[in-house]
Amino acid sequence: MAEPTDRLPPLNALRAFEAAARRLSFTQAADELNVTPGAISQQIRQLEDYAGTPLFKRTGRSVLLTDAAQASLPLVREAFERISEAGRIMQSPARKGRVMVSCAPSFAAKWLAPRLDKFHQLHSGTEAWISADTGLTDFTTADADFAIRYGRGSYDGLKSEKLLDETVLPVCSPAMLEGPDAIRRPEDLKNHTLLHDESTEVDPSCPDWASWLRARKVEGVDASRGPRFNQAILVIEAAAAGRGVALAKQAIAASDLASGRLVAPFADGSTSIDFGYWLVWPKGRHLSPDVREFIKWIKAEAAETEVVGV
């Protein structure tokens, strides 16, 4: 018979602790777990009674972790990740023939979704599901097998493999290469609206219009004018509709460049950037044969990607 000190801590209380400790907020933890802040407080008190020591320092409306909480939090998170992985392995027979990938809406719509027919033709017995999310995937709660993230590729607790490099280049409707104000050289941009991609990702190496023009010693173009969009796909659609010239991510613009909806007006307009697209999943996760086959396929698709110019 187990000694009293060997008792496992209450699981629901541990879940409340992990959420509150991660967010440093009982209210935000309650929102995440779909319970009331009072329920979170009750669970924390239950866990503190079990531990025999306070886990949070309450300072007004904010909370701080005690030394005991800081020391135990990484182990609690690892434990939940292992429990989640155990559940996934138990569900493997039910998940057979299905792959769930999480990625940003712009990448999903413009790069991944147009290619899925190829995958289904090669693997008719496997369904690929896309979860288009603007936030980072939390693998402890999400149903995704893996995610595609835009960044530098270094993520705590995750294995990452490079999928695509990224470049930024001006793109516009083919109609803007014709007429009295036809775009022939960067200086011609003074006669056209500049479209700005203000996505939430912060990459210091990614040029905006001001730095792109400055690098090419272009004068007489006001880089501050023009509408701004918080999603890359919105910038692409505005450019394709003839609303102006966009400074766009090549991977997001690739399908429209290939179809002729967009053109790249300058042969030397591309700028390589530090961020790229990475396949990520929790370290130690068991990848099913279907998932491994999908990853192999998507890497092959990425290897075939080429910049389309004018």
Side-chain angles (χ1 to χ4, degrees), residues 264-279:
F266 311 121
D268 62 345
S270 299
T271 302
S272 297
I273 59 178
D274 293 342
F275 278 22
Y277 301 92
W278 296 79
L279 308 175

Side-chain angles (χ1 to χ4, degrees), residues 71-228:
S72 60
L73 179 58
L75 298 176
V76 171
R77 295 216 68 185
E78 181 182 353
F80 276 120
E81 289 169 0
R82 288 181 174 272
I83 291 172
S84 176
E85 183 60 20
R88 292 182 63 84
I89 293 173
M90 292 176 188
Q91 295 172 345
S92 292
R95 297 175 66 92
K96 183 175 174 58
R98 191 190 85 184
V99 175
M100 172 73 82
V101 55
S102 172
C103 58
S106 293
F107 189 85
K110 288 297 186 181
W111 194 92
L112 182 55
R115 292 170 163 80
L116 284 183
D117 278 349
K118 294 182 184 179
F119 176 78
H120 291 140
Q121 289 169 8
L122 293 171
H123 307 278
S124 59
T126 304
E127 293 182 351
W129 295 7
I130 300 176
S131 175
D133 306 302
T134 54
L136 296 180
T137 302
D138 182 354
F139 285 101
T140 61
T141 58
D143 193 33
D145 293 299
F146 70 97
I148 301 173
R149 286 190 180 176
Y150 179 68
R152 286 195 172 91
S154 178
Y155 307 103
D156 289 342
L158 300 180
K159 178 178 175 59
S160 59
E161 295 184 2
K162 187 69 164 288
L163 178 66
L164 276 172
D165 290 317
E166 186 57 288
T167 59
V168 171
L169 74 166
V171 297
C172 63
S173 165
M176 303 187 86
L177 303 185
E178 303 172 356
D181 291 327
I183 300 174
R184 296 283 183 266
R185 54 199 184 99
E187 287 75 11
D188 295 331
L189 293 172
K190 66 179 182 293
N191 301 316
H192 298 275
T193 301
L194 301 182
L195 307 175
H196 302 261
D197 181 352
E198 297 201 344
S199 304
T200 55
E201 307 95 350
V202 180
D203 177 7
S205 72
C206 185
D208 56 11
W209 272 116
S211 60
W212 188 91
L213 292 165
R214 189 165 53 248
R216 287 156 181 80
K217 298 180 172 54
V218 178
E219 299 180 355
V221 179
D222 182 0
S224 65
R225 59 187 171 82
R228 281 144 172 84

Side-chain angles (χ1 to χ4, degrees), residues 229-303:
F229 304 86
N230 69 345
Q231 289 282 334
I233 189 173
L234 301 178
V235 183
I236 296 298
E237 290 303 312
R243 290 191 58 191
V245 185
L247 199 55
K249 296 180 178 70
Q250 188 274 330
I252 308 301
S255 62
D256 290 306
L257 288 166
S259 70
R261 286 186 77 217
L262 291 174
V263 293
F266 311 121
D268 62 345
S270 299
T271 302
S272 297
I273 59 178
D274 293 342
F275 278 22
Y277 301 92
W278 296 79
L279 308 175
V280 301
W281 59 90
K283 291 179 179 177
R285 165 163 290 186
H286 169 75
L287 298 180
S288 71
D290 292 326
V291 174
R292 290 198 298 269
E293 200 62 42
F294 188 90
I295 288 176
K296 179 181 177 182
W297 169 81
I298 199 174
K299 285 182 175 180
E301 284 293 307

